[in-house]
Amino acid sequence: MRQSAQDHALSPISGASVSLREAPVTDVPGASAPRRTGGGEESMVLEWRYIAKGVRVVPEPVATPFIWTGAYAGAFVLVTVLDLLGALDRTGLALAALSVLAALLGVRGRFVAAPGTALLCWMLLNFFAAHPIGEISWAGHRDPEWMACLLAAALIGTTAGRVLHARAAYRRVSPYDGTG
């Protein structure tokens, strides 16, 4: 069987398909003449063909309300776990953990969800992890820094997510040249 430049690199995993075609057995290495079956028909040979997957767009980000729900629930669980571990007396650890949460949520979210994510994380940090506990307060020296840190984490996560998705989409759109 003759092989084109694409045939050597194809497998079912990489998007190839198997098709049956009528071909004389002389196309098969080692055969000298067409072989006839009982009904006078030539035998069938398997041929690999490349199936183009087409253009796939960049995945859509998750809707903003779902990101905010994840931020609220995740921050609540995270602050509760840190409280049970006795680590809330160090607010720097809680801020770092909530910043990681905001960045992870940002990877799948939209840019417009970042400020709300940062605000929800800050509210739970301020309400449960900073003194006076149980009250939302504003300390002019620390709260702007906390808000900026959480907002930067959410924006960095969102930017990283958009770049990674765009690079993956670019690779899927790139033409297959058959060189491997």
Side-chain angles (χ1 to χ4, degrees):
M1 170 169 49
R2 283 193 227 159
Q3 291 187 349
S4 67
Q6 293 177 344
D7 288 340
H8 74 284
L10 295 177
S11 70
I13 295 173
S14 68
S17 70
V18 178
S19 64
L20 293 175
R21 68 174 173 90
E22 287 190 25
V25 180
T26 55
D27 285 352
V28 179
S32 59
R35 183 176 46 171
R36 301 273 180 195
T37 58
E41 302 167 4
E42 294 182 354
S43 62
M44 302 296 273
V45 178
L46 291 178
E47 179 183 19
W48 289 94
R49 292 190 176 242
Y50 183 73
I51 296 177
K53 293 179 181 174
V55 177
R56 288 190 285 173
V57 297
V58 176
E60 281 293 316
V62 176
T64 301
F66 290 123
I67 295 295
W68 288 347
T69 302
Y72 178 76
F76 187 77
V77 167
L78 197 57
V79 168
T80 302
V81 167
L82 289 174
D83 187 30
L84 291 174
L85 295 175
L88 278 186
D89 52 342
R90 292 177 287 164
T91 55
L93 178 64
L95 178 63
L98 288 172
S99 295
V100 169
L101 174 70
L104 290 175
L105 288 168
V107 169
R108 292 295 303 175
R110 300 177 190 272
F111 280 104
V112 296
T117 302
L119 181 66
L120 285 167
C121 289
W122 171 81
M123 284 176 37
L124 282 161
L125 178 66
N126 192 317
F127 192 77
F128 290 113
H131 293 289
I133 292 181
E135 294 180 12
I136 297 255
S137 61
W138 182 264
H141 64 284
R142 73 165 187 233
D143 286 328
E145 293 173 0
W146 286 1
M147 288 287 292
C149 181
L150 290 165
L151 181 61
L155 288 173
I156 288 170
T158 305
T159 303
R162 296 293 92 207
V163 167
L164 290 174
H165 289 308
R167 285 180 49 113
Y170 175 75
R171 284 193 203 118
R172 288 189 297 249
V173 172
S174 297
Y176 179 77
D177 62 358
T179 59

